[in-house]
Amino acid sequence: MLNKSLLSLQVGWKTTREYYTFMWVTLPVDLNSKPAKQQEVQFKAYYLPKDDEYYQFCYVDQDGVVRGASIPFQFRPENEEDILVVTTQGEVEEIEQHNKELCKENKQLKDSCVGLQKQNSDTQAELQRKQEELETLKSINKKLEQTMKEQKDCWETELLQ
């Protein structure tokens, strides 16, 4: 019983006669059975559009009345094979929103990285100053120890005399 068809139409269609491709859909004999509630239609890849336009699937009854339409989606070749990825406009918008969030996070991380690099540079400069100060103090300490030794030797000499 071929009394419904599934049409592939470019978004903006005005009449079902503007279809790109179609498939006949058979109505199940027992509409109350569980498998009757979910059916599958497969289009061969070569029947599908190759451009980047948005399309809709429309369910049309035997009288030509549209009984349902999908949200807009896009066919995009994933690679050179006959595999196609169907992307809905909602998915594209979701991906774009996620991309904006990632770009914002990336900018924050870059700003944070610049701040940490400056902080690291400042810390390195401070460490260098402290090391130079330590070397100066060591030199002063060595001179004081030498002076103290000389003074001690001098006192011992005086005491012995």
Side-chain angles (χ1 to χ4, degrees), residues 58-128:
C58 292
Y59 302 93
V60 181
D61 67 13
Q62 68 270 9
D63 299 322
V65 176
V66 175
R67 296 296 181 179
S70 70
I71 59 172
F73 61 88
Q74 186 178 36
F75 293 103
R76 292 184 305 151
E78 187 174 59
N79 53 33
E80 297 300 317
E81 299 173 9
D82 272 351
I83 298 175
L84 293 177
V85 176
V86 178
T87 306
T88 65
Q89 193 168 1
E91 287 173 328
V92 170
E93 290 168 0
E94 186 178 314
I95 290 168
E96 286 174 348
Q97 179 62 32
H98 186 66
N99 189 31
K100 284 179 187 176
E101 291 168 6
L102 288 175
C103 286
K104 184 179 176 183
E105 183 180 346
N106 188 27
K107 184 183 180 326
Q108 290 171 344
L109 289 172
K110 282 181 179 178
D111 292 345
S112 176
C113 186
V114 167
L116 289 171
Q117 286 172 337
K118 183 178 180 346
Q119 183 181 356
N120 184 33
S121 176
D122 293 347
T123 303
Q124 289 289 336
E126 180 67 20
L127 177 62
Q128 183 66 32

Side-chain angles (χ1 to χ4, degrees), residues 22-39:
F22 75 94
M23 291 286 291
W24 290 109
V25 180
T26 58
L27 193 62
V29 177
D30 183 8
L31 291 173
N32 294 324
S33 71
K34 187 168 182 131
K37 294 181 189 211
Q38 182 175 344
Q39 289 188 296

